[in-house]
């Protein structure tokens, strides 16, 4: 059974940085695009970023472009999200999610981690 | 950006009754639409993709329909485990995929 386990969340001051990790297991991690999706407290879902299966291509939501960087280490089966210049509006549970299609990203998500909470507050 | 609008925001249904949830896109997304179920404190789970293909984890009482801008998720006979939030998501206009605001299905 696919397992995705996020870590790295916490409380951080506005303007500071944080790096999230997502450890993947029970599937061929290097064959799938991977995404980050976030959910502000009591709110809906917002797609954040995607990285291709081989790490060569990344795309971002306009709300995080230039501040967040998605990356992956296929030798460690791990996905990352480097978050810089954090704002109060970045406060959310951050989920890593596996793309439903092998190799070519389909942009919908068939497996999700349990999420990690990021709180941006002074 | 494609705006996804779900209605109603809250649906109160008795166990055993039928539930019909709507999702509307601000422009055509063809059949590139997914539905997710999310229970409090849990991650979302993929329920429907391609507007009408049910994920293997879910029973046949769940069905999806529609194309273009109008979509429907139907739960034919609500069970206690079906009370949850449901979100639609378009993935036609990638990478800027967007979700609806959600529908809460609660016990009447």
């Amino acid at each position: 059974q696919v397992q995705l386990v996020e870590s790295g969340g916490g409380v951080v001051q506005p303007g500071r940085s944080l790096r999230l990790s997502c450890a993947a297991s029970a599937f061929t991690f290097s064959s799938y695009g991977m995404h980050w999706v976030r959910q502000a407290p009591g709110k809906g879902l917002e797609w954040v970023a995607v990285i291709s299966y081989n790490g060569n291509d990344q795309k971002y939501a306009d709300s995080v472009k230039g501040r967040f960087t998605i990356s992956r280490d296929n030798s460690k089966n791990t996905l990352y999200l480097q978050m810089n210049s954090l704002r109060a509006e970045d406060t959310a549970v951050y989920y890593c999610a596996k793309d439903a299609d092998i190799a070519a990203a389909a942009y919908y998500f068939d497996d999700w981690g349990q999420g990690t909470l990021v709180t941006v507050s002074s | 950006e494609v705006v996804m609008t779900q209605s109603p925001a809250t649906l109160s249904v008795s166990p055993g009754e039928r539930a019909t949830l709507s999702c509307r896109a601000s422009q055509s997304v063809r059949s590139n639409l997914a539905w997710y179920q999310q229970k409090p404190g849990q991650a979302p789970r993929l329920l429907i993709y391609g507007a009408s293909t049910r994920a293997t984890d879910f029973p046949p009482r769940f069905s999806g329909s529609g194309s273009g801008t109008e979509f429907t998720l139907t739960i034919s006979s609500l069970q206690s485990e079906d009370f949850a939030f449901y979100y639609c998501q378009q993935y036609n206009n990638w990478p800027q995929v967007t979700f609806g605001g959600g529908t809460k299905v609660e016990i009447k």
Side-chain angles (χ1 to χ4, degrees):
Chain A
Q1 186 166 353
V2 169
Q3 196 162 24
L4 299 167
V5 180
E6 301 94 336
S7 60
V11 180
V12 61
Q13 293 179 329
R16 302 299 290 265
S17 299
L18 205 60
R19 188 175 87 154
L20 307 183
S21 299
C22 171
S25 59
F27 69 103
T28 307
F29 180 72
S30 60
S31 294
Y32 289 87
M34 295 294 296
H35 303 257
W36 288 98
V37 178
R38 68 184 181 183
Q39 186 170 35
K43 302 297 184 182
L45 299 162
E46 179 187 17
W47 174 80
V48 172
V50 62
I51 188 166
S52 61
Y53 68 99
N54 57 10
N56 288 348
D57 192 26
Q58 305 86 30
K59 298 195 189 310
Y60 300 91
D62 290 342
S63 58
V64 306
K65 200 173 294 182
R67 300 188 298 123
F68 289 13
T69 302
I70 188 171
S71 62
R72 66 191 298 160
D73 185 337
N74 284 347
S75 69
K76 296 181 178 179
N77 287 352
T78 303
L79 175 73
Y80 302 101
L81 185 67
Q82 177 67 42
M83 304 185 294
N84 298 333
S85 303
L86 281 161
R87 306 166 179 168
E89 55 264 36
D90 296 319
T91 294
V93 173
Y94 285 74
Y95 295 101
C96 68
K98 172 180 161 290
D99 195 275
D101 202 358
I102 194 166
Y107 283 87
Y108 64 98
F109 322 111
D110 60 354
D111 288 286
W112 298 63
Q114 281 305 298
T116 188
L117 177 62
V118 173
T119 302
V120 184
S121 174
S122 54
Chain B
E1 175 183 306
V2 179
V3 177
M4 307 300 292
T5 303
Q6 291 187 241
S7 61
T10 303
L11 186 61
S12 299
V13 186
S14 299
E17 289 189 342
R18 181 186 193 91
T20 303
L21 289 67
S22 295
C23 175
R24 174 176 293 177
S26 61
Q27 64 190 72
S28 176
V29 298
R30 300 188 293 174
S31 293
N32 295 317
L33 185 106
W35 290 92
Y36 300 87
Q37 179 194 69
Q38 185 179 34
K39 296 180 179 179
Q42 297 185 17
R45 293 172 62 199
L46 178 65
L47 171 56
I48 298 281
Y49 59 95
S52 60
T53 302
R54 193 178 61 253
T56 53
D57 289 351
F58 286 90
R61 65 178 179 272
F62 291 91
S63 63
S65 63
S67 66
T69 62
E70 301 282 344
F71 300 88
T72 300
L73 174 68
T74 302
I75 312 171
S76 60
S77 177
L78 270 157
Q79 306 299 304
S80 57
E81 61 267 29
D82 302 335
F83 292 96
F85 286 87
Y86 292 85
Y87 294 94
C88 62
Q89 177 226 340
Q90 67 81 17
Y91 52 94
N92 189 65
N93 284 39
W94 56 269
Q96 301 299 333
V97 298
T98 46
F99 293 86
T103 291
K104 179 182 180 182
V105 177
E106 65 175 23
I107 300 174
K108 187 174 182 180

